[in-house]
Amino acid sequence: QKEVEQDPGPLSVPEGAIVSLNCTYSNSAFQYFMWYRQYSRKGPELLMYTYSSGNKEDGRFTAQVDKSSKYISLFIRDSQPSDSATYLCAMNRGSTLGRLYFGRGTQLTVWP
Amino acid sequence: DTEVTQTPKHLVMGMTNKKSLKCEQHMGHRAMYWYKQKAKKPPELMFVYSYEKLSINESVPSRFSPECPNSSLLNLHLHALQPEDSALYLCASSPQTSGGLTDTQYFGPGTRLTVL
């Protein structure tokens, strides 16, 4: 079993839709949770960063972490065609030097 | 400014060539990373430098040789690569303010490498 599971999609939604992206994980030691957005042939761009359980909101983006269920989510409100990208979840145990555990990434297309 | 720069953007090399990838950050970050990313896959960690010392080598073949000349620069020297090494090579950095490498990593745009 992979440590981080993420449905690769593809996911296709109309402009203005609410998008829900999710990851599950198996290692209860994970404490730091990140979402990266990666456009085609570009490097990952940090979107959201949360520590432990809870919610964090930044503009149209909301990140949720439920450590009891080992489940994290990223919600995108009022989605735009410019949100079309691959979204990678990543997490870290906090005690292992520099090691990020990534999901496979979900490919999202927002059509006008 | 959370910018990590990488050069070149694209590189095509033969299996007998020697080339280098360069990465630079001016955010004062003390940890720097090299990742390899194949199409439709997540980044795979290759090397981690902490305070200019190699902290992690993920059993990467010796044809990849990292170097950290100072706290702002990270190089990846390439020699005798194979076609299967063709990928996007990503550099990242993190502040390492807590004393452990738990800080958020910021990625550069990557170098797209093609080995013929």
Side-chain angles (χ1 to χ4, degrees), chain B:
Chain B
D1 182 14
T2 54
E3 187 178 29
V4 177
T5 59
Q6 291 187 242
T7 56
K9 290 184 179 179
H10 302 277
L11 179 62
V12 179
M13 60 187 291
M15 290 189 284
T16 58
N17 292 157
K18 286 185 180 181
K19 297 286 185 183
S20 296
L21 309 183
K22 297 186 184 300
C23 173
E24 190 167 4
Q25 57 87 15
H26 294 288
M27 297 177 280
H29 289 178
R30 302 312 302 267
M32 297 186 76
Y33 311 77
W34 280 116
Y35 287 85
K36 172 183 177 180
Q37 187 178 26
K38 301 283 263 185
K40 298 190 184 299
K41 299 285 187 185
E44 298 174 26
L45 184 65
M46 299 175 73
F47 302 104
V48 182
Y49 273 83
S50 172
Y51 289 85
E52 300 151 53
K53 294 192 187 313
L54 184 63
S55 296
I56 294 177
N57 177 340
E58 286 291 299
S59 302
V60 178
S62 59
R63 57 185 183 268
F64 295 91
S65 175
E67 178 196 20
C68 189
N70 60 55
S71 60
S72 300
L73 292 174
L74 186 66
N75 298 322
L76 186 63
H77 303 298
L78 314 173
H79 173 55
L81 295 193
Q82 304 297 310
E84 59 264 29
D85 296 321
S86 299
L88 181 67
Y89 287 84
L90 295 162
C91 174
S93 70
S94 65
Q96 201 181 350
T97 54
S98 62
L101 292 178
T102 61
D103 295 326
T104 308
Q105 294 181 25
Y106 296 89
F107 284 83
T111 293
R112 185 155 299 279
L113 174 68
T114 302
V115 182
L116 301 176

